[in-house]
């Protein structure tokens, strides 16, 4: 609250923030001070799932004006390197990314950002939907990398926010059947609500038993598995479950080293693909939301004003609900 309001550079905009979602990574930095090689060494503002209103534009900005409602893509390349040239700017090693040390995030009243990575929201897309484009983008990028297409049979491992957006996107891209696994019955119920065809509550089954259950409900082995937990046993189940010649996409990040049945994957030509965030997804997501082809509103289960940020983080840490949303604009009275 004591920080001065920043002044936008020539190609930046100053935003009054409205809605900011809390991500598991925000909680992880808060609790542990690091994720892998990214270590918090100085005070850092959290938040990277965000939407707000343009207050001021830099001298070089022509596509936005004060009053425009925008969704913010948090990853901004700092240089035109080989990855940017090939359209995979998310892999640029020098990329700026909100709330990844040492870069500040946007869980604040005012925030400045590259204008090229702020996307105008149509009138029929809410600020909350704008903030949800960030996790939705993970689903879009993962399903694209996985090759989901008409008639695909898809297994989504994990029914947290990222598992749910993958269900939504897979169905949108033409998946004929989607099965979701999780430990939590309430989260699996939410998966049903957003379009999952089948759910399996995992208890004490071995990875092979989980794979067998997936095949049982689908009537076949899935073409594609989207692993959203990062848990070793779930990755193992993903390999066993995926049909020969199919694709396993690793979305969830867990321990740096995991033991997996790699020979099983190799001899059956199961492609294992990683994803890192997303790229070129905001225009797609906005088009889907504006056309009402998808509905992501049910993902938001808790809302807090910025003043109660600690309570909001505690709620997320306890695993309550699905997506916790913070409202940063005290003058806004919308629900």
């Amino acid at each position: 609250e004591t920080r001065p309001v920043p002044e936008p550079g020539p190609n930046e905009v100053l935003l009054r923030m409205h809605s900011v979602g809390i991500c598991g990574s925000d909680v992880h930095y808060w609790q542990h001070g690091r994720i892998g090689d990214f270590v918090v060494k100085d005070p850092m503002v959290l938040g990277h799932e965000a939407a707000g209103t343009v207050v001021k534009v830099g001298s070089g900005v022509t596509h936005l004006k004060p009053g425009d409602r925008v969704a913010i893509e948090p990853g901004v390349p700092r240089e035109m390197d080989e990855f940017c040239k090939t359209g995979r700017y998310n892999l640029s090693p020098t990329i700026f990314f909100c709330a990844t040390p040492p870069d500040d995030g946007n869980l604040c009243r005012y925030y400045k950002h590259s204008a090229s990575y702020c996307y105008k929201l149509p009138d029929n897309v809410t600020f909350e939907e704008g903030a949800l484009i960030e996790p939705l983008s993970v689903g879009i990028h993962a399903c694209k990398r996985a090759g989901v297409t008409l008639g695909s049979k898809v297994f989504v491992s994990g029914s947290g926010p990222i598992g749910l957006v993958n269900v939504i996107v897979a169905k949108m891209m033409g998946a004929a059947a989607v099965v979701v696994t999780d430990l939590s019955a309430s989260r699996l119920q939410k998966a049903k609500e957003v379009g999952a065809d089948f759910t399996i509550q995992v208890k004490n089954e071995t990875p092979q038993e989980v794979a067998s259950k997936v095949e049982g409900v689908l009537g076949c082995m899935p073409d594609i598995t989207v692993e959203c937990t990062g848990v070793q046993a779930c990755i193992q189940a993903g390999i066993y479950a995926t049909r020969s010649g199919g694709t396993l996409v690793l979305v969830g990040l867990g321990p740096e080293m995991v033991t997996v049945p790699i020979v099983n994957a190799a001899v059956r030509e199961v492609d294992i693909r990683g994803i890192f965030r997303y790229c070129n997804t905001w225009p797609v997501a906005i088009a889907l939301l504006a056309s009402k082809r998808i509905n992501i509103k049910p993902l938001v289960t808790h809302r807090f004003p910025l003043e109660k940020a600690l309570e909001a983080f505690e709620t997320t840490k306890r695993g309550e609900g699905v997506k916790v949303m913070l409202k940063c604009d005290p003058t806004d009275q919308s629900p």
Side-chain angles (χ1 to χ4, degrees):
E1 293 297 329
T2 58
R3 290 169 178 247
V5 175
E7 192 67 26
N11 298 310
E12 295 177 325
V13 293
L14 175 66
L15 303 160
R16 184 174 181 85
M17 300 309 300
H18 187 287
S19 297
V20 181
I22 299 178
C23 173
S25 67
D26 292 319
V27 174
H28 201 86
Y29 280 127
W30 169 49
Q31 289 294 297
H32 304 286
R34 69 182 299 159
I35 294 177
D37 294 335
F38 297 107
V39 182
V40 179
K41 295 176 181 173
D42 298 297
M44 182 182 80
V45 178
L46 292 168
H48 59 268
E49 306 176 358
T53 304
V54 176
V55 176
K56 190 183 287 190
V57 301
S59 58
V61 178
T62 57
H63 72 290
L64 294 171
K65 64 184 185 305
D68 283 347
R69 302 160 59 255
V70 298
I72 300 167
E73 180 172 1
V76 180
R78 285 188 167 96
E79 57 182 315
M80 179 55 71
D81 59 17
E82 60 184 305
F83 299 105
C84 293
K85 289 176 183 176
T86 57
R88 301 181 73 177
Y89 56 88
N90 57 312
L91 301 179
S92 175
T94 59
I95 196 168
F96 166 93
F97 198 89
C98 294
T100 295
D103 304 330
D104 279 329
N106 41 36
L107 183 51
C108 48
R109 299 273 188 228
Y110 291 94
Y111 172 75
K112 69 173 182 177
H113 199 69
S114 168
S116 296
Y117 292 81
C118 292
Y119 301 83
K120 189 172 177 179
L121 292 172
D123 292 341
N124 67 340
V125 178
T126 67
F127 281 113
E128 280 194 357
E129 288 176 299
L132 288 169
I133 290 174
E134 196 279 342
L136 178 62
S137 286
V138 177
I140 294 171
H141 190 58
C143 287
K144 280 185 174 179
R145 291 270 295 154
V148 178
T149 188
L150 290 172
S152 296
K153 304 287 180 66
V154 180
F155 166 30
V156 175
S157 175
S159 191
I162 296 302
L164 295 175
V165 294
N166 273 284
V167 172
I168 291 168
V169 175
K171 294 294 287 186
M172 180 68 230
M173 291 175 70
V178 177
V179 57
V180 184
T181 55
D182 202 280
L183 297 168
S184 163
S186 61
R187 291 207 158 184
L188 289 173
Q189 179 56 39
K190 183 64 79 168
K192 277 278 194 185
E193 288 174 29
V194 301
D197 298 283
F198 307 102
T199 59
I200 298 170
Q201 187 173 5
V202 178
K203 294 189 171 74
N204 300 310
E205 294 88 346
T206 66
Q208 289 98 327
E209 287 169 343
V210 171
S212 180
K213 284 193 170 186
V214 168
E215 182 178 4
V217 298
L218 281 178
C220 61
M221 296 173 81
D223 312 290
I224 288 158
T225 297
V226 185
E227 208 301 298
C228 301
T229 72
V231 175
Q232 177 172 287
C234 297
I235 299 170
Q236 293 169 351
I239 289 176
Y240 289 130
T242 308
R243 76 166 176 84
S244 298
T247 302
L248 167 66
V249 175
L250 301 177
V251 183
L253 299 177
E256 185 177 351
M257 292 289 180
V258 295
T259 301
V260 295
I262 202 70
V263 173
N264 179 289
V267 299
R268 297 193 303 108
E269 296 192 3
V270 172
D271 291 348
I272 300 175
R273 294 188 160 201
I275 77 154
F276 187 59
R277 298 169 181 161
Y278 33 66
C279 57
N280 305 303
T281 54
W282 259 253
V284 175
I286 290 171
L288 290 172
L289 292 168
S291 64
K292 304 301 178 188
R293 296 298 301 277
I294 61 170
N295 179 18
I296 56 173
K297 289 179 181 178
L299 297 183
V300 181
T301 53
H302 295 71
R303 295 171 179 85
F304 294 88
L306 184 59
E307 293 79 10
K308 294 186 177 179
L310 184 57
E311 192 178 332
F313 270 77
E314 292 282 5
T315 301
T316 307
K317 180 186 168 189
R318 290 192 298 268
E320 294 178 20
V322 180
K323 178 57 66 177
V324 175
M325 192 69 66
L326 279 155
K327 293 179 68 171
C328 302
D329 185 351
T331 65
D332 180 74
Q333 298 302 314
S334 62

